[in-house]
Coordinates of all heavy atoms in Angstrom, one line a residue:
Q88 N -13.5 10.2 0.6 CA -13.0 11.3 -0.3 C -12.5 12.4 0.6 O -11.5 13.1 0.3 CB -14.0 11.8 -1.2 CG -14.3 10.8 -2.4 CD -15.0 11.5 -3.5 OE1 -15.0 12.7 -3.7 NE2 -15.7 10.7 -4.4
R89 N -13.2 12.7 1.7 CA -12.8 13.8 2.6 C -11.5 13.4 3.3 O -10.6 14.3 3.4 CB -13.9 14.0 3.7 CG -13.5 15.0 4.8 CD -13.2 16.3 4.3 NE -14.3 17.0 3.6 CZ -14.2 18.2 3.1 NH1 -13.0 18.9 3.1 NH2 -15.2 18.7 2.4
A90 N -11.3 12.2 3.6 CA -10.0 11.8 4.2 C -8.9 11.9 3.2 O -7.8 12.4 3.5 CB -10.1 10.3 4.7
V91 N -9.1 11.5 1.9 CA -8.1 11.7 0.9 C -7.8 13.2 0.7 O -6.7 13.6 0.5 CB -8.6 11.1 -0.4 CG1 -7.8 11.5 -1.6 CG2 -8.6 9.5 -0.3
L92 N -8.9 14.0 0.7 CA -8.6 15.5 0.5 C -7.8 16.0 1.6 O -6.9 16.9 1.4 CB -10.0 16.2 0.4 CG -9.9 17.7 0.2 CD1 -9.2 18.0 -1.1 CD2 -11.3 18.3 0.2
T93 N -8.0 15.6 2.8 CA -7.2 16.0 4.0 C -5.8 15.8 3.8 O -4.9 16.6 4.2 CB -7.7 15.3 5.3 OG1 -9.1 15.6 5.5 CG2 -7.0 15.8 6.5
V94 N -5.4 14.6 3.1 CA -4.0 14.3 2.9 C -3.5 15.0 1.7 O -2.3 15.4 1.7 CB -3.9 12.8 2.7 CG1 -2.5 12.4 2.3 CG2 -4.3 12.1 4.1
L95 N -4.3 15.1 0.6 CA -3.8 15.7 -0.7 C -3.7 17.2 -0.7 O -2.9 17.8 -1.4 CB -4.6 15.2 -1.8 CG -4.6 13.7 -2.2 CD1 -5.3 13.5 -3.5 CD2 -3.2 13.2 -2.3
E96 N -4.6 17.8 0.1 CA -4.7 19.3 0.0 C -3.4 20.0 0.3 O -3.0 20.9 -0.4 CB -5.8 19.8 1.0 CG -6.4 21.1 0.7 CD -7.7 21.4 1.5 OE1 -7.7 21.2 2.7 OE2 -8.7 21.8 0.9
P97 N -2.7 19.6 1.4 CA -1.4 20.3 1.6 C -0.4 20.1 0.5 O 0.4 21.0 0.2 CB -0.9 19.6 2.9 CG -2.1 19.1 3.6 CD -3.0 18.6 2.4
I98 N -0.5 19.0 -0.2 CA 0.4 18.7 -1.3 C 0.1 19.7 -2.5 O 0.9 20.3 -3.1 CB 0.3 17.3 -1.8 CG1 0.7 16.3 -0.7 CG2 1.2 17.0 -3.0 CD1 0.5 14.8 -1.0
G99 N -1.2 19.8 -2.7 CA -1.7 20.7 -3.8 C -1.3 22.2 -3.5 O -0.9 23.0 -4.4
E100 N -1.4 22.6 -2.2 CA -1.1 24.0 -1.8 C 0.3 24.3 -2.1 O 0.6 25.5 -2.3 CB -1.5 24.2 -0.3 CG -2.9 24.2 0.0 CD -3.6 25.4 -0.8 OE1 -3.2 26.5 -0.7 OE2 -4.6 25.1 -1.5
R101 N 1.2 23.4 -2.2 CA 2.6 23.7 -2.5 C 2.8 24.1 -3.9 O 3.8 24.8 -4.2 CB 3.5 22.5 -2.1 CG 3.5 22.2 -0.6 CD 4.8 21.4 -0.3 NE 4.7 20.0 -0.8 CZ 4.2 18.9 -0.1 NH1 3.8 19.1 1.1 NH2 4.2 17.7 -0.7
I102 N 1.9 23.7 -4.8 CA 2.1 24.0 -6.3 C 1.0 24.9 -6.9 O 1.2 25.5 -8.0 CB 2.2 22.7 -7.1 CG1 0.9 21.9 -7.0 CG2 3.4 21.9 -6.6 CD1 0.1 21.9 -8.2
F103 N -0.1 25.2 -6.1 CA -1.1 26.0 -6.7 C -0.7 27.5 -6.8 O 0.1 27.9 -5.9 CB -2.4 25.9 -5.8 CG -3.1 24.6 -5.9 CD1 -4.0 24.2 -4.9 CD2 -2.9 23.7 -7.0 CE1 -4.7 23.0 -5.0 CE2 -3.5 22.5 -7.1 CZ -4.4 22.1 -6.1
H104 N -1.2 28.2 -7.8 CA -0.7 29.6 -8.0 C -1.4 30.5 -6.9 O -2.5 30.3 -6.5 CB -1.2 30.0 -9.4 CG -0.5 31.2 -9.9 ND1 -0.9 32.5 -9.5 CD2 0.6 31.4 -10.7 CE1 -0.1 33.4 -10.1 NE2 0.8 32.8 -10.9
H105 N -0.6 31.6 -6.6 CA -1.1 32.5 -5.5 C -2.3 33.3 -6.0 O -3.0 33.9 -5.1 CB 0.0 33.4 -5.0 CG 0.6 34.2 -6.1 ND1 0.1 35.4 -6.6 CD2 1.8 34.0 -6.7 CE1 0.9 35.9 -7.5 NE2 1.9 35.1 -7.6
D106 N -2.6 33.4 -7.3 CA -3.8 34.1 -7.8 C -4.9 33.2 -8.1 O -5.9 33.6 -8.8 CB -3.4 35.0 -9.0 CG -2.7 36.3 -8.5 OD1 -2.8 36.6 -7.4 OD2 -2.0 36.9 -9.4
S107 N -4.9 32.0 -7.6 CA -6.0 31.0 -7.7 C -6.6 31.0 -6.3 O -6.0 30.7 -5.3 CB -5.5 29.6 -8.1 OG -6.5 28.6 -7.8
F108 N -8.0 31.3 -6.2 CA -8.6 31.4 -4.9 C -9.7 30.4 -4.6 O -10.1 30.3 -3.5 CB -9.2 32.9 -4.8 CG -8.1 33.9 -4.7 CD1 -7.6 34.5 -5.9 CD2 -7.6 34.4 -3.5 CE1 -6.6 35.5 -5.8 CE2 -6.7 35.4 -3.4 CZ -6.2 35.9 -4.6
G109 N -10.2 29.8 -5.6 CA -11.4 28.9 -5.4 C -11.1 27.6 -4.7 O -10.2 26.9 -5.0
Y110 N -12.0 27.3 -3.7 CA -12.0 26.0 -3.1 C -10.6 25.7 -2.4 O -10.1 24.6 -2.5 CB -12.4 24.9 -4.0 CG -13.6 25.2 -4.8 CD1 -13.6 25.3 -6.2 CD2 -14.8 25.4 -4.1 CE1 -14.8 25.5 -6.9 CE2 -16.0 25.6 -4.8 CZ -16.0 25.7 -6.2 OH -17.1 26.0 -6.9
R111 N -10.0 26.7 -1.8 CA -8.7 26.5 -1.2 C -8.8 26.9 0.3 O -9.5 27.9 0.6 CB -7.6 27.3 -1.9 CG -7.3 26.7 -3.3 CD -6.3 27.5 -4.0 NE -5.0 27.5 -3.3 CZ -3.9 28.2 -3.6 NH1 -4.0 29.0 -4.7 NH2 -2.8 28.1 -2.9
P112 N -8.1 26.2 1.2 CA -8.2 26.6 2.6 C -7.7 28.0 2.9 O -6.6 28.4 2.4 CB -7.4 25.5 3.3 CG -6.5 25.0 2.2 CD -7.2 25.1 0.9
G113 N -8.4 28.7 3.7 CA -8.0 30.1 4.0 C -8.1 31.1 3.0 O -7.7 32.2 3.1
R114 N -8.8 30.8 1.9 CA -9.0 31.7 0.8 C -10.5 32.0 0.5 O -11.3 31.0 0.6 CB -8.3 31.3 -0.5 CG -6.8 31.3 -0.4 CD -6.1 30.8 -1.6 NE -4.7 31.2 -1.5 CZ -4.1 32.0 -2.4 NH1 -4.7 32.5 -3.4 NH2 -2.8 32.4 -2.2
T115 N -10.9 33.2 0.2 CA -12.3 33.6 0.1 C -12.5 34.4 -1.1 O -11.6 34.9 -1.8 CB -12.7 34.4 1.4 OG1 -12.0 35.7 1.4 CG2 -12.4 33.7 2.7
I116 N -13.8 34.6 -1.4 CA -14.2 35.5 -2.5 C -13.7 36.9 -2.2 O -13.2 37.6 -3.1 CB -15.7 35.4 -2.7 CG1 -16.2 34.1 -3.3 CG2 -16.2 36.6 -3.6 CD1 -17.7 33.9 -3.4
D117 N -13.8 37.4 -1.0 CA -13.4 38.7 -0.7 C -11.9 38.9 -1.0 O -11.4 39.9 -1.4 CB -13.6 39.0 0.8 CG -15.1 39.3 1.1 OD1 -15.8 39.7 0.1 OD2 -15.6 39.1 2.2
M118 N -11.1 37.9 -0.7 CA -9.7 37.9 -1.0 C -9.4 38.0 -2.5 O -8.5 38.8 -3.0 CB -8.9 36.7 -0.4 CG -8.9 36.7 1.1 SD -8.3 35.1 1.8 CE -6.6 35.2 1.3
A119 N -10.2 37.3 -3.3 CA -10.1 37.3 -4.7 C -10.4 38.7 -5.2 O -9.7 39.3 -6.1 CB -11.0 36.3 -5.4
L120 N -11.5 39.3 -4.7 CA -11.9 40.6 -5.2 C -10.9 41.7 -4.7 O -10.7 42.7 -5.5 CB -13.3 40.9 -4.6 CG -14.4 40.0 -5.2 CD1 -15.7 40.2 -4.4 CD2 -14.6 40.3 -6.7
S121 N -10.3 41.5 -3.6 CA -9.2 42.4 -3.2 C -8.0 42.4 -4.2 O -7.5 43.4 -4.5 CB -8.7 42.1 -1.8 OG -7.7 42.9 -1.4
R122 N -7.7 41.2 -4.6 CA -6.6 41.1 -5.6 C -7.0 41.7 -6.9 O -6.2 42.4 -7.6 CB -6.3 39.6 -5.9 CG -5.1 39.3 -6.7 CD -3.9 39.8 -6.0 NE -2.7 39.3 -6.7 CZ -1.5 39.8 -6.6 NH1 -1.3 40.9 -5.8 NH2 -0.4 39.3 -7.2
V123 N -8.3 41.6 -7.3 CA -8.8 42.3 -8.5 C -8.6 43.8 -8.4 O -8.1 44.5 -9.3 CB -10.3 42.0 -8.8 CG1 -10.9 42.9 -9.8 CG2 -10.5 40.5 -9.1
R124 N -9.0 44.4 -7.2 CA -8.8 45.8 -7.0 C -7.3 46.2 -7.1 O -7.0 47.3 -7.6 CB -9.4 46.2 -5.7 CG -10.9 46.2 -5.7 CD -11.5 46.8 -4.4 NE -11.2 46.0 -3.2 CZ -12.0 45.1 -2.8 NH1 -13.1 44.8 -3.4 NH2 -11.7 44.4 -1.7
E125 N -6.5 45.4 -6.6 CA -5.0 45.7 -6.7 C -4.6 45.8 -8.1 O -3.9 46.8 -8.5 CB -4.2 44.6 -6.0 CG -4.3 44.6 -4.5 CD -3.5 43.4 -3.9 OE1 -2.5 43.0 -4.6 OE2 -3.8 43.0 -2.8
Y126 N -5.0 44.9 -9.0 CA -4.6 45.0 -10.4 C -5.2 46.2 -11.1 O -4.5 46.9 -11.9 CB -5.0 43.7 -11.1 CG -4.1 42.5 -10.8 CD1 -4.6 41.3 -10.5 CD2 -2.7 42.7 -10.9 CE1 -3.8 40.2 -10.3 CE2 -1.9 41.6 -10.7 CZ -2.4 40.4 -10.4 OH -1.6 39.3 -10.1
M127 N -6.4 46.5 -10.7 CA -7.1 47.7 -11.3 C -6.3 49.0 -10.9 O -6.1 49.9 -11.7 CB -8.5 47.8 -10.9 CG -9.4 46.7 -11.6 SD -11.1 46.7 -11.0 CE -11.7 48.3 -11.6
L128 N -5.9 49.1 -9.6 CA -5.2 50.3 -9.1 C -3.8 50.4 -9.8 O -3.3 51.5 -9.8 CB -5.1 50.2 -7.6 CG -6.3 50.5 -6.8 CD1 -6.1 50.2 -5.3 CD2 -6.8 51.9 -7.0
C129 N -3.3 49.3 -10.3 CA -2.0 49.4 -11.0 C -2.2 49.8 -12.5 O -1.2 49.8 -13.2 CB -1.4 48.0 -11.0 SG -0.7 47.5 -9.3
G130 N -3.4 50.2 -12.9 CA -3.6 50.7 -14.2 C -4.0 49.7 -15.2 O -4.0 50.0 -16.4
L131 N -4.3 48.5 -14.8 CA -4.8 47.4 -15.7 C -6.3 47.6 -15.8 O -7.1 47.0 -15.1 CB -4.4 46.0 -15.1 CG -2.9 45.8 -14.9 CD1 -2.6 44.5 -14.2 CD2 -2.2 45.9 -16.3
T132 N -6.7 48.4 -16.8 CA -8.1 48.8 -16.9 C -8.9 48.0 -17.8 O -10.1 48.2 -17.9 CB -8.1 50.3 -17.3 OG1 -7.5 50.4 -18.6 CG2 -7.5 51.2 -16.3
W133 N -8.3 47.0 -18.5 CA -9.0 46.1 -19.4 C -8.9 44.7 -18.9 O -7.9 44.4 -18.2 CB -8.5 46.2 -20.8 CG -8.9 47.5 -21.5 CD1 -8.3 48.7 -21.4 CD2 -10.1 47.7 -22.3 NE1 -9.0 49.6 -22.2 CE2 -10.1 49.1 -22.7 CE3 -11.1 46.9 -22.7 CZ2 -11.1 49.6 -23.5 CZ3 -12.2 47.4 -23.5 CH2 -12.1 48.7 -23.9
A134 N -9.9 43.8 -19.2 CA -9.8 42.5 -18.8 C -10.5 41.5 -19.7 O -11.4 41.9 -20.5 CB -10.4 42.3 -17.4
V135 N -10.0 40.3 -19.7 CA -10.7 39.2 -20.4 C -11.6 38.6 -19.3 O -11.1 38.1 -18.3 CB -9.8 38.1 -20.9 CG1 -10.6 37.0 -21.5 CG2 -8.8 38.7 -21.9
D136 N -12.9 38.8 -19.4 CA -13.9 38.2 -18.5 C -14.2 36.8 -19.0 O -15.0 36.6 -19.9 CB -15.1 39.1 -18.4 CG -16.2 38.6 -17.4 OD1 -15.8 37.6 -16.6 OD2 -17.3 39.1 -17.4
A137 N -13.6 35.8 -18.4 CA -13.6 34.4 -19.0 C -14.4 33.4 -18.2 O -14.4 33.4 -17.0 CB -12.1 33.9 -19.1
D138 N -15.0 32.5 -18.9 CA -15.8 31.4 -18.3 C -15.5 30.2 -19.2 O -15.6 30.2 -20.4 CB -17.2 31.7 -18.3 CG -18.0 30.6 -17.6 OD1 -18.4 29.6 -18.3 OD2 -18.3 30.7 -16.4
I139 N -15.1 29.1 -18.6 CA -14.8 27.8 -19.3 C -16.1 27.1 -19.5 O -16.9 26.8 -18.6 CB -13.8 27.0 -18.6 CG1 -12.5 27.8 -18.3 CG2 -13.5 25.7 -19.3 CD1 -11.5 27.0 -17.5
E140 N -16.4 26.7 -20.8 CA -17.6 26.1 -21.1 C -17.7 24.6 -20.5 O -16.8 23.8 -20.8 CB -17.8 26.0 -22.6 CG -19.2 25.5 -23.0 CD -19.5 25.6 -24.5 OE1 -18.5 25.8 -25.3 OE2 -20.6 25.6 -24.9
S141 N -18.7 24.4 -19.7 CA -19.0 23.0 -19.2 C -17.8 22.4 -18.6 O -17.4 21.3 -18.8 CB -19.6 22.1 -20.2 OG -20.8 22.7 -20.8
Y142 N -17.1 23.2 -17.8 CA -15.7 22.8 -17.3 C -15.7 21.4 -16.6 O -15.0 20.5 -17.0 CB -15.1 23.8 -16.4 CG -13.8 23.4 -15.8 CD1 -12.7 23.1 -16.6 CD2 -13.6 23.3 -14.4 CE1 -11.5 22.7 -16.1 CE2 -12.4 22.9 -13.9 CZ -11.4 22.6 -14.7 OH -10.1 22.2 -14.2
F143 N -16.6 21.3 -15.6 CA -16.5 20.0 -14.8 C -16.9 18.8 -15.7 O -16.4 17.7 -15.5 CB -17.5 20.1 -13.6 CG -16.9 20.8 -12.4 CD1 -16.8 22.2 -12.4 CD2 -16.4 20.1 -11.4 CE1 -16.2 22.9 -11.3 CE2 -15.8 20.8 -10.3 CZ -15.7 22.1 -10.3
N144 N -17.8 19.0 -16.7 CA -18.2 18.0 -17.5 C -17.2 17.6 -18.6 O -17.3 16.5 -19.2 CB -19.5 18.3 -18.2 CG -20.7 18.4 -17.3 OD1 -20.7 17.7 -16.2 ND2 -21.7 19.2 -17.6
R145 N -16.2 18.4 -18.9 CA -15.4 18.2 -20.0 C -13.9 17.9 -19.7 O -13.1 17.7 -20.6 CB -15.4 19.4 -21.0 CG -16.8 19.6 -21.6 CD -16.8 20.7 -22.7 NE -18.1 20.8 -23.3 CZ -18.3 21.6 -24.3 NH1 -17.4 22.4 -24.8 NH2 -19.5 21.7 -24.9
I146 N -13.5 18.0 -18.4 CA -12.2 17.7 -18.1 C -11.9 16.2 -18.5 O -12.5 15.3 -18.0 CB -11.9 17.8 -16.6 CG1 -12.1 19.3 -16.1 CG2 -10.5 17.3 -16.2 CD1 -11.8 19.5 -14.6
P147 N -10.9 16.0 -19.4 CA -10.6 14.7 -19.9 C -9.8 13.9 -18.8 O -8.9 14.4 -18.2 CB -9.7 14.9 -21.1 CG -9.2 16.3 -21.0 CD -10.2 17.1 -20.2
H148 N -10.2 12.7 -18.6 CA -9.7 11.9 -17.5 C -8.2 11.6 -17.6 O -7.4 11.7 -16.7 CB -10.4 10.6 -17.3 CG -11.8 10.7 -16.8 ND1 -12.6 9.6 -16.5 CD2 -12.5 11.8 -16.5 CE1 -13.7 10.1 -16.0 NE2 -13.7 11.4 -16.0
K149 N -7.7 11.3 -18.9 CA -6.3 10.8 -19.1 C -5.3 12.0 -18.7 O -4.4 11.7 -17.9 CB -6.1 10.4 -20.5 CG -4.8 9.7 -20.7 CD -4.7 9.1 -22.1 CE -3.3 8.5 -22.3 NZ -3.2 7.9 -23.7
P150 N -5.5 13.2 -19.2 CA -4.6 14.3 -18.8 C -4.7 14.7 -17.4 O -3.7 15.0 -16.8 CB -5.0 15.4 -19.7 CG -5.9 14.9 -20.7 CD -6.4 13.6 -20.3
L151 N -5.9 14.6 -16.8 CA -6.1 14.9 -15.4 C -5.3 13.9 -14.6 O -4.6 14.3 -13.6 CB -7.6 14.8 -15.0 CG -7.9 14.9 -13.5 CD1 -7.4 16.2 -12.9 CD2 -9.4 14.7 -13.2
I152 N -5.4 12.6 -14.9 CA -4.6 11.6 -14.1 C -3.1 11.8 -14.3 O -2.4 11.6 -13.3 CB -5.0 10.2 -14.6 CG1 -6.5 9.8 -14.2 CG2 -4.1 9.1 -14.1 CD1 -6.7 9.8 -12.7
K153 N -2.7 12.2 -15.5 CA -1.3 12.5 -15.7 C -0.8 13.6 -14.7 O 0.3 13.5 -14.1 CB -1.1 12.9 -17.1 CG 0.4 13.2 -17.5 CD 0.6 13.5 -18.9 CE 2.0 13.8 -19.3 NZ 2.2 14.2 -20.7
E154 N -1.6 14.7 -14.6 CA -1.3 15.8 -13.7 C -1.3 15.3 -12.2 O -0.4 15.7 -11.5 CB -2.3 16.9 -13.8 CG -2.2 17.6 -15.2 CD -1.0 18.4 -15.4 OE1 -0.3 18.8 -14.4 OE2 -0.6 18.6 -16.6
L155 N -2.2 14.5 -11.9 CA -2.3 13.9 -10.5 C -1.1 13.0 -10.2 O -0.5 13.0 -9.1 CB -3.6 13.2 -10.3 CG -4.8 14.1 -10.2 CD1 -6.1 13.2 -10.3 CD2 -4.9 14.8 -8.9
N156 N -0.7 12.2 -11.2 CA 0.5 11.4 -11.1 C 1.7 12.1 -10.8 O 2.5 11.8 -9.9 CB 0.6 10.5 -12.4 CG 0.3 9.1 -12.2 OD1 0.6 8.5 -11.1 ND2 -0.3 8.5 -13.2
S157 N 1.9 13.2 -11.5 CA 3.1 14.0 -11.3 C 3.1 14.8 -10.0 O 4.1 15.1 -9.5 CB 3.2 15.1 -12.5 OG 2.2 16.0 -12.4
L158 N 1.9 14.9 -9.4 CA 1.8 15.6 -8.1 C 2.0 14.7 -6.9 O 2.7 15.1 -6.0 CB 0.4 16.3 -8.0 CG 0.0 17.0 -6.7 CD1 1.0 18.2 -6.6 CD2 -1.4 17.4 -6.7
I159 N 1.4 13.5 -7.0 CA 1.4 12.7 -5.8 C 2.2 11.5 -5.8 O 2.6 10.9 -4.8 CB -0.1 12.3 -5.4 CG1 -0.7 11.5 -6.5 CG2 -0.9 13.6 -5.1 CD1 -2.2 11.1 -6.1
H160 N 2.6 11.0 -7.0 CA 3.5 9.8 -7.1 C 3.1 8.6 -6.2 O 3.9 8.1 -5.5 CB 4.9 10.2 -6.8 CG 5.4 11.5 -7.4 ND1 5.7 11.5 -8.8 CD2 5.7 12.7 -7.0 CE1 6.1 12.7 -9.1 NE2 6.1 13.5 -8.0
D161 N 1.8 8.2 -6.3 CA 1.3 7.1 -5.5 C 0.4 6.3 -6.3 O -0.8 6.7 -6.6 CB 0.7 7.7 -4.2 CG 0.3 6.6 -3.2 OD1 -0.5 5.7 -3.6 OD2 0.8 6.7 -2.1

Side-chain angles (χ1 to χ4, degrees):
Q88 287 197 24
R89 174 56 64 181
V91 167
L92 180 61
T93 302
V94 171
L95 294 187
E96 202 167 50
I98 300 174
E100 286 300 308
R101 293 200 290 265
I102 61 105
F103 291 160
H104 196 280
H105 57 80
D106 280 341
S107 163
F108 291 88
Y110 310 119
R111 294 179 60 185
R114 290 180 165 239
T115 65
I116 288 177
D117 286 336
M118 293 171 66
L120 294 170
S121 177
R122 188 66 167 159
V123 169
R124 287 191 290 272
E125 287 179 24
Y126 282 132
M127 290 176 63
L128 286 171
C129 289
L131 300 172
T132 58
W133 287 87
V135 178
D136 182 10
D138 184 275
I139 302 175
E140 186 170 18
S141 302
Y142 176 58
F143 279 78
N144 291 334
R145 293 188 178 181
I146 295 180
H148 288 185
K149 188 174 181 180
L151 171 61
I152 291 298
K153 183 179 179 180
E154 293 294 333
L155 289 166
N156 251 322
S157 65
L158 177 66
I159 61 180
H160 310 291
D161 189 299

